[in-house]
Amino acid sequence: MVAADVRADSETPAGVAVRTYQVRTYGCQMNVHDSERLSGLLEAAGYARAADGQDADIVVFNTCAVRENADNKLYGNLSHLAPRKAGDPNMQIAVGGCLAQKDRDTVLTKAPWVDVVFGTHNIGSLPVLLERARHQRVAQVEIAEALQEFPSALPAARESAYAAWVSISVGCNNTCTFCIVPALRGKEVDRRPGDILAEVTTLVDQGVLEVTLLGQNVNAYGVSFADPDVPRNRGAFAELLRACGGIAGLERVRFTSPHPAEFTDDVIEAMAATPNVCPTLHMPLQSGSDRILKAMRRSYRAEKFLGIIDRVRAAIPHAAITTDIIVGFPGETEEDFQATLDVVARARFASAFTFQYSKRPGTPAAELADQLPKEVVGERYQRLIALQEQISWDENKAQVGREVELLVAAGEGRKDAATARLSGRARDGRLVHFDAGGADIRPGDIVTTTVTRAAPHFLVADGPVRTHRRTRAGDAHAAGRRPVTGVGLGMPGIGAPPATATTDCSTSGCAL
């Protein structure tokens, strides 16, 4: 069951002192979607989102633990808030997510002014923990060891009126030696297909045009359904993609991330045969060296990876394929690194998320010998960047002259005084900055235009817009409405009493 509501950002009862919140997010798409749930929970409990640029009564950090700089960034930001917290004891700070799950009591040791620490498995506890900390004036720490309820049952205040994340699973059953995620998010648990499709339909009913199906390993979907009475189904992900194709009004479907070891041809066939599944694929490589892939416990090899890429391009010729690559894994030799460069050159990725290996305590790779000097890793990283930048630019140049359909986006703009460009995403995921020609085009609308110029990370379309379709998503964005999904938990309102009457503060001198 999925309950829905649509709220404007400014909806607060007149004359009522409402405590405000801000959620700061680090990390992957999973964390971004979790932050939407945190926002939904807080709004359901009576809090209001703080206006941009204003201090919030409650600041929530939704953290990542994949890379070392995430730790440093969190504790640096907590330090910046310490003076404000000292001057306003009613302000509250909460830390959740993967780093909170990993560090637990360490958070309070390093930042004793934090009020609440909660883990990846119990984000639904945040409003109660905040209220308890406020009344008892004692920090609250709650770290559940296992999933308590599927997160999609929680209220979610969506960030976008036109595009939405939809979780199909949580957790991961892989044992990659560099990755701490399975230890923090647990074993894979999949949602029932009917629940996923109901959520997608609810979003589309509110005007959403694009959904991205989320999972740590989406093509393992069907391994472990949340409902034990639903049997394992290895073809479940391909079936889910085809089912999304039958939802009227759903114009774009994306997914992330698959795993090369389990990526099967039925998924490729479903992608090619389902019109609203976008011609794009994010396929993490990590390394092009078979020796390093084995040390990473990535159960595929370079030729298998390249075979998948070839089959996808045979079925979907204009597919834009992106990837993740780690440079400097322990023991990586120059020969190993050259193998990665060779695969990158053959695969011709549209773009790549590239990372210098980061040693994470608690992972098997952290205990491996032959940890590489930072200067060696940095030099290799720059060579990889140079190669991929050139490939991305070459691949983007091939788009010049092509007509593209864009879902106009907010927050990705490249405006200037001369062109007043807007931005949008093509169906293959490429970012396009286009000349709106003075037309009233809103985020969430659909336009078609022609690419006139290319850069490594974006395209430019400075010709006239060929078509412009106004959409319900554009209407919602213009009105400041955000889709809300999730089942209400029946929680008491926290932070703001219900409004019983409208008070004229000009005569009564309300203290807000």
Side-chain angles (χ1 to χ4, degrees):
M1 177 182 179
V2 179
D5 187 12
V6 181
R7 300 177 187 169
D9 288 343
S10 59
E11 283 185 16
T12 55
V16 174
V18 177
R19 284 171 61 78
T20 59
Y21 77 88
Q22 178 189 72
V23 180
R24 302 185 187 181
T25 309
Y26 308 110
C28 65
Q29 298 96 329
M30 295 286 187
N31 274 24
V32 173
H33 189 24
D34 280 348
S35 290
E36 292 181 328
R37 296 186 183 110
L38 293 171
S39 295
L41 284 160
L42 291 171
E43 291 181 14
Y47 300 102
R49 183 180 303 209
D52 291 343
Q54 292 189 359
D55 289 338
D57 298 309
I58 298 157
V59 178
V60 182
F61 292 90
N62 188 16
T63 64
C64 172
V66 172
R67 302 185 60 75
E68 183 178 8
N69 61 2
D71 299 45
N72 299 334
K73 189 171 185 179
L74 169 68
Y75 291 115
N77 285 329
L78 288 175
S79 295
H80 291 154
L81 286 178
R84 192 177 145 222
K85 172 72 174 177
D88 180 7
N90 290 320
M91 179 206 176
Q92 291 185 290
I93 301 171
V95 177
C98 290
L99 188 64
Q101 187 82 21
K102 177 177 75 74
D103 281 2
R104 301 170 184 254
D105 294 332
T106 304
V107 175
L108 292 181
T109 301
K110 293 185 175 182
W113 53 92
V114 168
D115 298 277
V116 171
V117 181
F118 62 101
T120 59
H121 298 307
N122 59 310
I123 63 176
S125 302
L126 176 60
V128 171
L129 294 173
L130 285 168
E131 185 70 356
R132 193 183 299 158
R134 190 158 69 100
H135 280 291
Q136 298 180 5
R137 298 291 177 179
V138 175
Q140 303 295 308
V141 179
E142 184 176 299
I143 306 291
E145 297 299 333
L147 191 67
Q148 297 180 330
E149 60 189 324
F150 204 93
S152 293
L154 301 173
R158 305 295 180 139
E159 291 295 324
S160 169
Y162 49 85
W165 310 104
V166 175
S167 289
I168 69 171
S169 64
V170 294
C172 182
N173 292 339
N174 292 314
T175 58
C176 303
T177 55
F178 57 82
C179 185
I180 198 169
V181 169
L184 302 179
R185 290 194 177 263
K187 293 291 186 180
E188 180 175 334
V189 178
D190 300 329
R191 293 176 73 190
R192 293 190 301 117
D195 290 344
I196 296 168
L197 296 172
E199 182 177 351
V200 173
T201 301
T202 297
L203 289 162
V204 172
D205 287 346
Q206 297 175 72
V208 168
L209 301 177
E210 174 182 299
V211 299
T212 300
L213 305 177
L214 281 181
Q216 297 294 151
N217 179 6
V218 291
N219 50 292
Y221 175 73
V223 169
S224 172
F225 287 111
D227 184 343
D229 295 328
V230 179
R232 178 173 182 171
N233 177 3
R234 289 187 178 275
F237 185 59
E239 293 172 9
L240 182 64
L241 289 178
R242 292 180 186 272
C244 286
I247 297 177
L250 179 59
E251 300 193 19
R252 297 184 176 193
V253 178
R254 305 185 190 279
F255 59 87
T256 193
S257 289
H259 191 293
E262 297 180 85
F263 196 77
T264 49
D265 288 348
D266 63 335
V267 174
I268 299 174
E269 293 163 4
M271 292 174 64
T274 309
N276 63 359
V277 175
C278 292
T280 181
L281 176 67
H282 184 74
M283 181 64 72
L285 169 64
Q286 307 304 2
S287 174
S289 163
D290 288 350
R291 191 180 73 84
I292 295 299
L293 287 171
K294 183 177 181 181
M296 290 177 168
R297 292 186 195 155
R298 301 284 289 180
S299 49
Y300 57 89
R301 299 298 176 257
E303 286 303 318
K304 177 173 182 175
F305 182 94
L306 289 166
I308 293 171
I309 302 303
D310 289 343
R311 293 197 300 278
V312 170
R313 289 197 168 122
I316 313 168
H318 296 301
I321 299 175
T322 60
T323 196
D324 297 331
I325 301 171
I326 297 172
V327 177
F329 187 82
E332 181 188 75
T333 65
E334 179 61 28
E335 182 180 8
D336 293 322
F337 177 65
Q338 184 59 51
T340 296
L341 297 180
D342 292 344
V343 172
V344 169
R346 289 176 60 185
R348 308 290 299 177
F349 298 115
S351 64
F353 296 93
T354 52
F355 307 93
Q356 298 183 49
Y357 170 75
S358 180
K359 184 177 180 180
R360 305 308 289 136
T363 62
E367 306 303 321
L368 293 176
D370 301 325
Q371 303 281 333
L372 272 61
K374 287 188 176 181
E375 58 271 20
V376 172
V377 178
E379 188 275 334
R380 289 178 184 171
Y381 180 75
Q382 292 303 320
R383 277 191 281 156
L384 174 61
I385 290 291
L387 173 61
Q388 182 56 53
E389 290 269 306
Q390 186 61 56
I391 292 171
S392 295
W393 196 5
D394 291 343
E395 292 298 307
N396 278 354
K397 288 175 185 176
Q399 307 299 313
V400 173
R402 178 170 294 173
E403 184 175 295
V404 289
E405 177 196 89
L406 306 179
L407 174 55
V408 182
E412 297 188 276
R414 179 188 165 88
K415 296 183 180 181
D416 59 56
T419 66
R421 292 188 183 108
L422 300 179
S423 300
R425 291 281 174 180
R427 291 187 62 83
D428 66 5
R430 286 184 167 93
L431 178 64
V432 182
H433 305 301
F434 68 96
D435 183 356
D440 180 22
I441 299 174
R442 300 97 39 100
D445 285 351
I446 299 287
V447 302
T448 59
T449 186
T450 301
V451 177
T452 58
R453 182 166 63 85
H457 302 291
F458 60 86
L459 302 171
V460 175
D462 274 340
V465 170
R466 292 176 176 267
T467 65
H468 169 212
R469 172 160 54 93
R470 296 174 74 84
T471 67
R472 288 194 301 138
D475 295 341
H477 180 88
R481 295 194 306 269
R482 296 173 289 128
V484 177
T485 56
V487 177
L489 301 181
M491 293 181 298
I494 297 171
T500 56
T502 299
T503 304
D504 184 353
C505 292
S506 64
T507 58
S508 64
C510 302
L512 298 178

